[in-house]
Amino acid sequence: MTSPTDMQRRAMVKLPNHEYLPALNGCMDPPAMQWPPGKPYSPVVGTRVFADGVEWYVHENGFFSTTHMVHNSQLGRQMAVTVVDEMTVAGTEPTAVGTAGPQGAAPPGAIEKK
């Protein structure tokens, strides 16, 4: 979907290529995905659910990204974050390479979501 209505957009994340995807993990009003500087954007080719139940987008180049809600203790409320992670060769230790909002980390043990 490339041009959602304002109401639909609240449950979607804007990608660096200006397209929109449904936000993951029940996230509302996620910030736009910020791709790591100096690295070409790679399209989303699927999703995965990790062992702790967190959904992640899978990008063509092996990067993972997600949207989720975190508690901001200074504001005293939940807020949406969008995270981009690059998995290591072994696929067990994520390394955050770009984030919008607080930095997140993907747990090991990915399970394919169909």
Side-chain angles (χ1 to χ4, degrees):
M1 179 179 290
T2 57
S3 102
T5 66
D6 287 340
M7 189 56 116
Q8 291 170 325
R9 193 174 291 128
R10 292 198 66 218
M12 302 187 90
V13 62
K14 185 176 182 180
L15 305 177
N17 65 356
H18 304 287
E19 291 184 353
Y20 289 85
L21 283 178
L24 301 177
N25 306 304
C27 190
M28 293 298 288
D29 299 317
M33 185 180 295
Q34 301 297 310
W35 202 252
K39 299 196 184 233
Y41 173 69
S42 180
V44 173
V45 294
T47 60
R48 281 189 160 177
V49 178
F50 283 80
D52 68 350
V54 176
E55 292 180 285
W56 289 77
Y57 300 113
V58 179
H59 293 265
E60 191 173 69
N61 67 353
F63 282 29
F64 286 81
S65 60
T66 192
T67 59
H68 59 99
M69 302 297 289
V70 297
H71 181 75
N72 182 314
S73 59
Q74 290 180 331
L75 297 176
R77 64 177 173 87
Q78 294 283 95
M79 62 180 287
V81 296
T82 302
V83 178
V84 176
D85 277 301
E86 180 178 5
M87 299 302 237
T88 63
V89 175
T92 57
E93 295 295 329
T95 304
V97 293
T99 63
Q103 184 173 353
I111 302 167
E112 287 289 336
K113 180 181 180 186
K114 305 214 179 208

